Amino acid sequence: MQKKGPIGIFDSGYGGLTIFDKIQKRMPEYDYLYLGDNARAPYGTRSFDTVYRFTRQAVIKLFDAGCPLVILACNTASAKALRTIQQKDLPLLDPSRRVLGVIRPTVEKIDSLSKSKHIGILGTAGTISSGSYSIEIAKMFPHIHVVGEACPMWVPLVENNEYNSPGADYFVKKHIEHILSVDPEIDTLVLGCTHYPLLTGKIKKYLPDNVTLFSQGEHVAISLEEYLTRHPEMDERLIKNEECHFLTTESPEKFSETASVFLNRNINVEKVTID
Ligand code: DGL
């Protein structure tokens, strides 16, 4: 019998905690192991090769820690590394384990949200330049018109706890106004970066009433629950003791402090190296 393990959740840093929070609230019975590569974050401005190499190392770390299933709770890693890891690395590392991302579950919901069928994606430079959202949406819903907007300052605003500051207003307003000027028919804006839910209050301030903001966490959680229902063989390999552990490649004290902003509770964190 295969050894049981926790669900692994990976992000470049803190952002994936917004996804982890929704997953854990929906499925509290499972064990989780969260890994944030804070020492090398942000990933959003890094090349395809670098994001792939870092993400592959993180997945191997979570596999070594016993996770049968790993969620890339980072849009940038999902956009730039997921496909190669699934197709090239998994067959060699361990074909019985699984690595899933956040873009597909988000895209699956998109058609039902938009009336105008004009959608805007807000993301890191890496996610937007990869074209991953446009490609996935074109495959599933070819009638939907997609515009991407890279918002490179938004992650640093959140990481530095400045997301409620007047400085944040400038950068939020700039990108919201720009994307809506590129396509005024947009009626749905997707938060295509795990950090962005913390900017929701600011973003809504600059949104016209007819534009809806779509946050992916809830849908990633629903999609994971459905996946485990469809795959009882994977579900049986997951520990259900309601335990969560957190790993970071940077300072555990700093991670614990910032994570409390994302999760509204205190956590214990362990430092690891993954290169
Ligand atoms: N969490 C990443 C994402 O969802 C953004 C943070 C980063 O740039 O590392 O795209």
Side-chain angles (χ1 to χ4, degrees), residues 93-109:
L93 290 169
D94 184 345
S96 80
R97 303 205 207 195
R98 288 291 171 269
V99 181
L100 306 174
V102 289
I103 293 180
R104 209 186 159 89
T106 307
V107 166
E108 279 169 0
K109 293 284 161 211

Side-chain angles (χ1 to χ4, degrees), residues 11-13 15-16 41-45 73-77 124 127 155 159 192-195 216:
D11 185 66
S12 58
Y43 280 17
T45 45
C74 174
N75 288 269
T76 312
T124 64
T127 297
V155 167
E159 292 271 328
C193 172
T194 52
H195 283 66
Q216 61 192 164

Side-chain angles (χ1 to χ4, degrees), residues 224-269:
L224 177 59
E225 192 177 42
E226 289 171 355
Y227 173 85
L228 292 174
T229 306
R230 285 197 311 276
H231 294 277
E233 77 290 352
M234 175 56 77
D235 193 57
E236 276 162 23
R237 293 177 66 187
L238 299 170
I239 304 177
K240 291 170 191 159
N241 284 333
E242 301 184 22
E243 283 184 17
C244 301
H245 295 280
F246 297 86
L247 310 174
T248 176
T249 54
E250 248 297 337
S251 151
E253 293 78 21
K254 171 83 173 54
F255 188 96
S256 174
E257 191 190 317
T258 307
S260 64
V261 174
F262 282 79
L263 297 175
N264 269 321
R265 63 185 159 105
N266 292 324
I267 54 166
N268 285 322
V269 188

